[in-house]
Amino acid sequence: MAAYLQWRRFVFFDRETVREPSGPDGAGAKPFALPPGIAVCDSGRGSLVFGDILSQIWFLPRSLQLSSFQAYKLRVTHLYQLKQHSILVSIGEDEEGINPLVKVWNLEKRDGGNPLCTRIFPAIPGNKPTVVSCLTVHENLNFMAIGFADGSVVLTKGDITRDRHSKTQILHEGSYPVTGLAFRQSGKTTHLFVVTTENIQSYMLSVKDYPHLELDTHGCGLRCSSLSDPSQDLQFIVAGNECVYLYQPDERGPCFAFEGQKLIVHWYRGYLIIVSKDRKTSPKSDFAGNEPQNSDKQVLNIYDLCNKFIAYSSIFDDIVDVLAEWGSLYVLTRDGKIHVLQEKDTQTKLEACKFMLFRKNLFEMAINLAKSHHLDSDGLSEIFRQYGDHLYNKGNHDGAIQQYIRTIGKLEPSYVIRKFLDAQRIHNLTAYLQMLHLQSLANADHTTLLLNCYTKLKDSSKLEEFIKTSESEVHFDVETAIKVLRQAGYYSHAVYLAEKHEHHEWYLKIQLEDIKNYQEALHYIGKLPFEQAESNMKRYGKILMRHVPNETTELLKILCTDYRPSGGNEGPGMLEGKKANSEEFIPVFANNSRELKAFLEHMTEVQADSPQGVYDTLLELRLQNWAHEQDEQIKEKLHNEALTLLKSGRFKTVFDKALVLCQMHNFKDGVLYLYEQGKLFQQIMHYHMQNEQYKKVIEVCELYGDQEACLWEQALGYFARKEENCKEYIAAVLKHIENKNLMPPLLVVQTLAHNSTATLSVIKDYLVNKLQKQSRQIEQDEQRIQKYREETTRIRLEIEELKASPKIFQKTKCSICTSALELPSVHFLCGHSFHQHCFESYSESDSECPTCMPENRKVMDMIRAQEQKRDLHDQFQHQLKCSNDGFSVVADYFGRGVFNKLTLITDLPSGKTATTIEAGLQRELLIHTKRST
């Protein structure tokens, strides 16, 4: 029960008397006066509605232009104006006696200038005469309840505007007059509250048989009940002389101790309006005016039940009713005047009461008042701040921090943080920072401060709760949190946070540098996606290789061949394994040659197309092991492995690098193999020469002398420079030089002249054989010269004969088809004859013999080429004499093929050029002969 006298009083309404509109002369308007005899009233649909004792119903719109119509013949006793429909329900009398009639009016339709009456029926269901005490209508137009002085209630169900669609029945019977009715709609459930002078009941109308429940054993007078709005959960309000009670359909709610005899009760916009008689004389106050209150005065109080204060209080003379319309309250008094109570705007109300509340430290009331009037968040935040400052100054730090928490989002956090940085108040600061994170308004500095608070308080449970909270509940800078936890030594918490939020670099850094848990770090890398696993192995691979070499090597093998994250972390793009570049991980194996060798051998076995660097490093590693190995058996095995790798064909593009490696480690077989592969035959021979392996030198010449003839010459020079007896090897070389005619004899003699051990007997056979060959060659050349001379003489005779003697053509067969020669035919001086049709078919030129033409063209081409080269020779000699750089001229002509060897088949007659001979032959050629029959 709330004590009425303890409630604060405010003036949230302005009181004025409604006056008539000003006249044309602008003179002061007099107070508006209602017609006399007003008995009942209601409001809605933009009008105040009155019923008088003279059977008139009056309408007062906002323009104050009264209008009326006669609704009954005698009097109007009850009115109910629906708020959502233009329907007015009235009860009155058309004749003397107790026979009230209910009329339903449609205000939007007219009948002779008056509202249309859609239905008339008697209020009393039977013949028992009784007085109507109250009336209520449901806004859905499907229920209407009428209460009577004999304690009965009549319920009309169906369309109340029509007779045929509704049904009337007695819902309630009792011994006490019915003083109030109210419908309550909650979802699809409809209740009817019935209050009498002695009890209160609720009926459930949405269920068959209308079950009811008695809520209380005391009631109220007429017009002393009302239904609240949703802000008070649609509770039924009953005002007794001692208290005001609130009811739900199934139970009684709170009550308020408001003294005085209650006359009228209404609900308006969250306010409870009570008109009561106050028989006590009150002192002067702002609410009562400056005149003393008489004992017969009526007091109108407006209560705010949520915030427990009186929003307005004033004294009136004989109030008829209080109506709500156009956003204001209208108080009708018996003298015909209308007083309007206009609620002040929210800002004005708050400013008016804030000073008083703050001065008296009534911050809770100020907060509730601001909330109920929907003050914006900025205004509420300022109240919370002042309330927090007040509590802080009083030393109530726990209470202050709760108020400061309510300012989060509006008040700068640093304002609060500075107040609670003292170590004794660190728990308050922690609470504030926690809430700041919960509302996702914390920055990195706030996260750092909160975690430092946890560590200072050594509150591991709160720390774990904070970092394990889901991201949807708490937002904070994860990286900052990890740094703070690591710095404070909470490694397990930092690791948990890094793993949860996938800060892989921090997780690995803490595991490797702080916890030294190398195995777990390696296992974690194996669960990462490919790109992150690759980058982290490059970053931390050396550390892991130093402490867990075997496991690290195995992970690298997987990473470079067919990597899939362990632990089921594969995404939709990880159906196929990925592989890293194995060459990039070679530096990881520094000082771990055994693991490096195992890794490289694995890569070459499972991935033949491994990068070249893998093979290069493996070769170098095998050569190092071979060079340093002392055990002969193992050394032989390593020798074979290195040579096998060289012969794998993977070093063609890096021939020089492989050769350098073999030379550095004095790997003889590898060097020779690479020389051979690179066709460096001279280097092979020089290698054997340096090692004075004479037989090997001869073998190299025999193997590769055909590909590079100079090898024999170099071998001869090598043996010639040797002082020891090398006659056997010199003889072998000379024999080959003689057979292949590789060197002039004079050069051979000059070469061997440097050897003091080589006598004439060494080259005797060579010189004799050479001279004999040259003699035979001279004889053959002389025979060939004689032959050419005879041939030349014969050709000249034929030419002379052609010039001086007639040519007789005795051919009987065609030289093309070999058939008997027939006319017409074609004969050439060369002796070939053809059918004309064969000649035309096969000849490319009318002036050339088809049979001799290919050979003639070869000769002519060679002659022309010789002529061109002769011209080039003259030009070359001239440029060579005039040029300052003779070598560049020689190189230019050498590139143009001037010095290429040209062999002529036949000699030209002296004094005649090829052009002259060709012209003479063409003139003397018999082109075409026809024989006539």
Side-chain angles (χ1 to χ4, degrees):
M1 179 180 294
Y4 160 72
L5 296 177
Q6 297 176 355
W7 286 23
R8 298 286 170 180
R9 293 170 176 262
F10 300 100
V11 182
F12 284 173
F13 289 82
D14 293 324
R15 173 178 173 177
E16 293 181 2
T17 301
V18 177
R19 297 182 178 274
E20 294 181 356
S22 301
D25 55 357
K30 61 182 180 179
F32 183 83
L34 290 172
I38 296 296
V40 292
C41 53
D42 203 353
S43 63
R45 309 298 292 178
S47 296
L48 304 182
V49 185
F50 311 108
D52 60 17
I53 58 177
L54 300 176
S55 72
Q56 294 288 323
I57 293 180
W58 298 82
F59 295 94
L60 180 64
R62 197 164 191 177
S63 62
L64 303 181
Q65 300 296 323
L66 272 172
S67 62
S68 67
F69 71 95
Q70 184 172 355
Y72 294 91
K73 295 180 180 179
L74 290 181
R75 66 183 63 85
V76 180
T77 60
H78 294 83
L79 289 176
Y80 192 93
Q81 172 66 57
L82 277 80
K83 303 300 184 287
Q84 300 177 13
H85 303 276
S86 295
I87 300 295
L88 175 67
V89 179
S90 64
I91 299 178
E93 298 177 358
D94 281 343
E95 57 186 19
E96 294 292 342
I98 302 176
N99 188 21
L101 292 177
V102 179
K103 295 185 179 182
V104 181
W105 308 89
N106 189 333
L107 302 181
E108 293 181 346
K109 297 182 180 180
R110 294 288 169 175
D111 181 14
N114 296 330
L116 176 64
C117 183
T118 62
R119 183 181 181 187
I120 303 175
F121 63 94
I124 303 172
N127 296 324
K128 181 180 179 182
T130 182
V131 177
V132 174
S133 59
C134 52
L135 165 69
T136 187
V137 182
H138 199 291
E139 286 294 335
N140 63 11
L141 300 179
N142 286 326
F143 292 102
M144 179 170 61
I146 303 174
F148 295 92
D150 64 353
S152 60
V153 175
V154 173
L155 176 67
T156 300
K157 183 178 180 182
D159 189 352
I160 65 168
T161 62
R162 302 187 181 188
D163 289 325
R164 69 178 66 180
H165 296 107
S166 62
K167 178 181 178 182
T168 301
Q169 66 183 88
I170 297 176
L171 177 69
H172 172 79
E173 289 183 330
S175 304
Y176 305 104
V178 178
T179 56
L181 298 169
F183 287 107
R184 182 184 188 273
Q185 186 71 39
S186 178
K188 295 183 179 181
T189 304
T190 304
H191 288 88
L192 174 64
F193 290 100
V194 178
V195 58
T196 66
T197 56
E198 298 298 331
N199 58 32
I200 303 169
Q201 299 186 45
S202 70
Y203 287 82
M204 184 180 293
L205 304 183
S206 53
V207 179
K208 190 177 181 181
D209 298 332
Y210 307 139
H212 68 282
L213 177 67
E214 186 175 26
L215 301 176
D216 217 332
T217 57
H218 60 79
C220 66
L222 282 173
R223 301 197 300 175
C224 289
S225 62
S226 181
L227 189 71
S228 68
D229 59 19
S231 66
Q232 278 291 333
D233 200 20
L234 297 174
Q235 296 185 92
F236 187 55
I237 303 171
V238 177
N241 290 336
E242 299 297 331
C243 296
V244 173
Y245 302 92
L246 277 66
Y247 296 92
Q248 293 285 355
D250 54 353
E251 63 180 353
R252 191 176 83 173
C255 65
F256 301 89
F258 299 151
E259 297 181 354
Q261 181 183 352
K262 312 300 186 298
L263 302 177
I264 301 173
V265 172
H266 286 294
W267 187 266
Y268 168 74
R269 291 186 177 181
Y271 294 113
L272 175 62
I273 303 170
I274 297 179
V275 177
S276 60
K277 285 186 177 181
D278 191 357
R279 300 187 177 278
K280 298 179 181 179
T281 303
S282 302
K284 296 181 180 180
S285 68
D286 293 338
F287 307 99
N290 294 326
E291 298 180 0
Q293 299 180 11
N294 299 324
S295 61
D296 57 348
K297 298 291 185 179
Q298 295 177 352
V299 179
L300 183 144
N301 288 321
I302 302 178
Y303 299 97
D304 187 330
L305 300 184
C306 292
N307 300 313
K308 295 182 174 55
F309 65 83
I310 301 174
Y312 183 76
S313 181
S314 184
I315 296 177
F316 293 87
D317 292 328
D318 202 1
I319 297 176
V320 176
D321 208 342
V322 180
L323 304 178
E325 192 67 24
W326 309 308
S328 301
L329 291 173
Y330 292 87
V331 182
L332 281 62
T333 55
R334 191 63 62 186
D335 57 5
K337 294 180 180 180
I338 302 178
H339 304 274
V340 60
L341 299 180
Q342 181 69 43
E343 187 176 10
K344 297 178 181 180
D345 62 86
T346 302
Q347 193 63 34
T348 302
K349 289 189 291 185
L350 292 174
E351 291 298 330
C353 70
K354 195 184 297 182
F355 175 74
M356 181 185 72
L357 293 175
F358 287 1
R359 184 180 58 189
K360 298 182 178 181
N361 300 324
L362 299 175
F363 290 98
E364 287 292 346
M365 180 175 287
I367 292 169
N368 293 334
L369 179 63
K371 286 182 178 180
S372 63
H373 287 80
H374 307 291
L375 183 64
D376 59 20
S377 57
D378 291 334
L380 276 172
S381 178
E382 178 61 21
I383 298 175
F384 294 143
R385 183 194 65 79
Q386 295 187 35
Y387 192 14
D389 291 345
H390 169 71
L391 296 174
Y392 182 85
N393 293 330
K394 288 177 63 178
N396 184 1
H397 299 125
D398 294 340
I401 203 65
Q402 293 304 317
Q403 298 307 317
Y404 287 135
I405 286 174
R406 301 168 81 176
T407 67
I408 290 177
K410 299 297 180 182
L411 183 62
E412 178 62 35
S414 60
Y415 177 86
V416 180
I417 293 172
R418 285 195 298 269
K419 289 178 176 290
F420 292 90
L421 281 177
D422 190 350
Q424 296 179 354
R425 302 167 191 164
I426 194 170
H427 64 282
N428 300 124
L429 180 59
T430 304
Y432 178 80
L433 292 172
Q434 285 179 174
M435 190 58 63
L436 200 63
H437 282 80
L438 281 172
Q439 298 190 22
S440 304
L441 296 174
N443 57 28
D445 294 333
H446 299 149
T447 302
T448 302
L449 188 56
L450 176 59
L451 293 174
N452 283 328
C453 289
Y454 284 140
T455 56
K456 292 287 185 183
L457 293 172
K458 300 188 183 303
D459 192 347
S460 298
S461 60
K462 282 287 186 180
L463 179 59
E464 288 189 11
E465 181 183 353
F466 175 75
I467 65 174
K468 293 183 179 180
T469 307
S470 64
E471 293 184 34
S472 59
E473 297 177 12
V474 177
H475 297 273
F476 57 89
D477 190 295
V478 176
E479 187 170 358
T480 300
I482 294 172
K483 290 179 182 178
V484 174
L485 291 171
R486 185 188 184 198
Q487 186 177 3
Y490 286 81
Y491 300 129
S492 60
H493 297 78
V495 163
Y496 170 83
L497 209 55
E499 183 177 11
K500 176 182 177 183
H501 296 275
E502 298 183 350
H503 284 254
H504 310 306
E505 183 177 353
W506 280 108
Y507 179 91
L508 295 172
K509 188 178 293 186
I510 297 170
Q511 287 282 21
L512 296 174
E513 298 178 7
D514 301 320
I515 305 178
K516 310 293 185 183
N517 192 343
Y518 305 104
Q519 193 72 41
E520 185 61 32
L522 191 65
H523 177 69
Y524 183 82
I525 292 176
K527 297 189 296 183
L528 297 178
F530 172 76
E531 290 79 7
Q532 296 172 357
E534 180 185 24
S535 63
N536 282 292
M537 281 305 294
K538 290 178 181 178
R539 184 179 293 112
Y540 302 110
K542 290 184 179 180
I543 300 175
L544 293 170
M545 185 62 66
R546 189 182 311 119
H547 296 91
V548 281
N550 294 331
E551 294 82 353
T552 304
T553 303
E554 290 303 317
L555 179 58
L556 285 175
K557 288 179 181 178
I558 297 172
L559 187 64
C560 296
T561 52
D562 186 21
Y563 179 77
R564 290 181 176 87
S566 61
N569 292 330
E570 293 133 344
M574 291 296 295
L575 297 177
E576 295 184 1
K578 295 184 178 181
K579 57 183 179 181
N581 186 351
S582 52
E583 184 178 2
E584 297 176 355
F585 293 96
I586 293 177
V588 171
F589 293 90
N591 302 321
N592 293 80
S593 58
R594 182 174 60 85
E595 286 76 14
L596 176 59
K597 182 181 179 183
F599 172 71
L600 296 176
E601 289 177 346
H602 173 79
M603 293 307 304
T604 56
E605 290 173 5
V606 302
Q607 190 174 316
D609 59 343
S610 294
Q612 185 61 43
V614 172
Y615 287 92
D616 296 344
T617 308
L618 180 59
L619 175 62
E620 183 178 3
L621 198 60
R622 286 184 175 178
L623 290 175
Q624 287 178 357
N625 293 340
W626 172 80
H628 294 91
E629 183 58 50
Q630 301 298 325
D631 189 301
E632 290 300 328
Q633 292 183 353
I634 299 177
K635 192 177 185 71
E636 181 64 24
K637 179 182 178 183
L638 294 173
H639 174 278
N640 295 334
E641 289 179 354
L643 194 59
T644 302
L645 183 61
L646 277 174
K647 293 181 179 180
S648 64
R650 295 293 307 183
F651 298 93
K652 295 180 180 179
T653 57
V654 289
F655 173 83
D656 295 338
K657 187 174 182 179
L659 183 59
V660 169
L661 288 174
C662 292
Q663 290 173 343
M664 287 173 57
H665 296 88
N666 196 24
F667 189 57
K668 173 184 173 182
D669 291 346
V671 172
L672 294 176
Y673 172 77
L674 291 173
Y675 280 158
E676 182 180 356
Q677 292 298 307
K679 296 185 178 181
L680 302 176
F681 307 128
Q682 295 187 36
Q683 281 78 355
I684 297 175
M685 190 171 68
H686 290 161
Y687 181 85
H688 292 307
M689 288 177 178
Q690 290 174 0
N691 293 279
E692 297 185 350
Q693 297 173 334
Y694 302 149
K695 290 184 178 181
K696 291 290 184 180
V697 172
I698 299 298
E699 289 177 4
V700 170
C701 291
E702 290 175 349
L703 288 173
Y704 310 116
D706 293 340
Q707 302 179 48
E708 198 163 345
C710 65
L711 294 177
W712 291 103
E713 299 175 12
Q714 294 176 10
L716 181 62
Y718 170 73
F719 289 124
R721 289 191 296 271
K722 291 295 179 180
E723 294 299 327
E724 60 266 26
N725 190 0
C726 297
K727 293 180 180 180
E728 177 184 355
Y729 304 110
I730 292 175
V733 173
L734 286 174
K735 182 178 180 181
H736 192 84
I737 290 175
E738 178 187 355
N739 294 335
K740 297 294 184 180
N741 194 23
L742 299 177
M743 294 176 65
L746 182 59
L747 184 58
V748 172
V749 173
Q750 290 176 349
T751 302
L752 291 175
H754 298 288
N755 192 329
S756 59
T757 61
T759 60
L760 185 60
S761 61
V762 176
I763 61 172
K764 175 182 176 183
D765 295 338
Y766 168 76
L767 292 174
V768 170
N769 293 334
K770 195 67 178 176
L771 291 172
Q772 290 177 353
K773 284 183 179 180
Q774 289 182 354
S775 298
R776 287 193 296 271
Q777 184 66 37
I778 290 171
E779 291 177 0
Q780 291 176 1
D781 291 342
E782 289 177 349
Q783 293 175 1
R784 191 177 295 111
I785 290 171
Q786 183 62 32
K787 179 182 177 181
Y788 286 162
R789 284 177 178 174
E790 293 175 357
E791 183 70 20
T792 301
T793 302
R794 185 184 62 77
I795 292 174
R796 285 176 178 172
L797 291 174
E798 287 182 2
I799 292 173
E800 291 297 330
E801 186 179 354
L802 287 173
K803 289 181 178 180
S805 303
K807 178 70 174 178
I808 299 174
F809 301 102
Q810 296 179 343
K811 285 277 188 178
T812 59
K813 292 184 179 181
C814 177
S815 298
I816 294 177
C817 64
T818 67
S819 300
L821 200 61
E822 297 178 356
L823 295 177
S825 59
V826 179
H827 304 275
F828 285 90
L829 293 176
C830 59
H832 296 104
S833 299
F834 308 93
H835 292 118
Q836 183 176 0
H837 61 84
C838 290
F839 175 76
E840 291 176 352
S841 301
Y842 290 95
S843 177
E844 296 180 5
S845 173
D846 293 341
S847 59
E848 292 187 72
C849 173
T851 304
C852 300
M853 184 175 62
E855 190 66 25
N856 291 340
R857 284 192 177 179
K858 287 183 181 179
V859 174
M860 296 306 297
D861 290 341
M862 293 173 65
I863 294 173
R864 279 193 292 269
Q866 187 66 38
E867 287 291 333
Q868 292 176 0
K869 287 191 176 181
R870 189 184 69 178
D871 295 339
L872 285 174
H873 175 73
D874 296 339
Q875 185 179 1
F876 167 72
Q877 292 293 339
H878 176 72
Q879 289 186 6
L880 189 62
K881 291 178 181 179
C882 299
S883 175
N884 294 328
D885 186 2
F887 180 78
S888 63
V889 175
V890 173
D892 178 47
Y893 277 83
F894 185 83
R896 292 159 62 183
V898 175
F899 305 110
N900 291 348
K901 185 176 181 181
L902 178 64
T903 303
L904 296 178
I905 298 177
T906 182
D907 294 331
L908 293 175
S910 59
K912 292 189 178 181
T913 64
T915 305
T916 306
I917 295 296
E918 184 179 7
L921 290 174
Q922 294 297 335
R923 283 195 302 269
E924 296 171 2
L925 183 65
L926 179 59
I927 299 175
H928 194 191
T929 303
K930 295 185 179 179
R931 296 182 180 180
S932 58
T933 55

